[in-house]
Amino acid sequence: MKYEDWQIITLDKVTSTNDAVNNYCDKAGRFIALRAVEQTAGRGRRGRIWQSLKGNLFLSLAFEYDLQNLGNLVIAASLSLCQTIKNYSPSPEVKIKWPNDILLNNAKVSGMLLEKGIGNYIIIGIGVNIVHSPDSQHILYPATSLTEAGITTTAAEFTENYLQQFSYYVNMLQNNKQAAWQMWTDNAKGIGSKIEVLQENKKKQGIFSGIDENGSLLLDTADGREKILVGDIFYIEKVNDGI
Ligand code: BTN
């Protein structure tokens, strides 16, 4: 995958970019990056809505991908998002919150929704709070925006920078998987500390001991090690990430 492979499409208004991008998955071998200026029915993980405030980024990538290697893709997508934000300003704290949120100064600045597309296409939907953060009453985790952290960019510019990083990390995952997984681990918040995992109506506590080859979270509980495929995590102990 190279940056030059991407066809960037910008639409004025869509319901969800994750739906709109399907219209372009008609031929084999395409790399589509569809960005919408306005999104009227954005969705988040686990059935939540994604407040899509004007000026923020609503982007969906679509390309053919072997679902067996989904773990690698999750790593590449979140690591490249983390790196894109770090490249704007190395000073604020930028961390990955499992599975693929990005935290900026301990608040969520970005979320990702992976869905299966048509045929062998996979869709990676990315929302970045560029200029606005959502209303705090309706969200699960404190939110922020790049603007609040003093970073100035636009959704269009961020898209280009992200695609550069994403193409780079997808290749790194193919050529040097070990190094990329290590980088993910180094940039993830809370490994080795106590967390709470929220799944449907259940809550579980344990030590976040890392991820497995599929990207599942490994939670060490009093009853042993559990693999968590889907859920939301909350940090219980103050985490010292060595900063
Ligand atoms: C989450 O954190 O719950 C994931 C949020 C994903 C939001 C993005 S915005 C672009 C794409 N289109 C959608 O409807 N959702 C994703």
Side-chain angles (χ1 to χ4, degrees), residues 40-179:
T40 56
R43 46 179 194 267
R45 291 196 310 117
R46 302 180 61 226
R48 290 189 289 260
I49 64 149
W50 182 257
Q51 287 183 48
S52 304
L53 304 169
K54 212 146 177 217
N56 287 346
L57 173 63
F58 320 111
L59 175 70
S60 292
L61 310 186
F63 50 96
E64 288 165 304
Y65 194 80
D66 177 5
L67 288 181
Q68 298 229 300
N69 291 325
L70 207 55
N72 275 355
L73 201 60
V74 174
I75 297 295
S78 51
L79 195 50
S80 45
L81 199 46
C82 182
Q83 203 53 52
T84 305
I85 297 174
K86 278 189 171 177
N87 286 349
Y88 277 104
S89 170
S91 55
E93 194 193 335
V94 186
K95 287 275 165 192
I96 301 166
K97 175 177 178 284
W98 182 89
N100 39 35
D101 292 347
I102 305 297
L103 300 178
L104 175 58
N105 299 327
N106 287 317
K108 178 164 166 170
V109 70
S110 165
M112 227 178 252
L113 178 67
L114 271 80
E115 292 180 324
K116 211 197 146 312
I118 291 167
N120 295 324
Y121 274 88
I122 179 91
I123 296 169
I124 306 179
I126 299 160
V128 182
N129 299 334
I130 305 265
V131 287
H132 299 294
S133 49
D135 177 359
S136 61
Q137 282 178 339
H138 301 109
I139 51 176
L140 196 62
Y141 203 84
T144 190
S145 66
L146 295 181
T147 300
E148 277 168 61
I151 297 172
T152 308
T153 184
T154 59
E157 184 194 73
F158 193 96
T159 299
E160 288 176 19
N161 291 338
Y162 179 70
L163 290 175
Q164 300 263 11
Q165 293 294 323
F166 181 66
S167 309
Y168 173 83
Y169 281 107
V170 167
N171 292 335
M172 184 171 177
L173 257 308
Q174 270 159 5
N175 304 326
N176 194 351
K177 185 173 167 167
Q178 199 68 38

Side-chain angles (χ1 to χ4, degrees), residues 6-7 12 49 92 164 173 217 220 224:
W6 291 100
Q7 184 183 350
D12 286 340
I49 64 149
Q164 300 263 11
L173 257 308
L217 183 145
D220 286 342

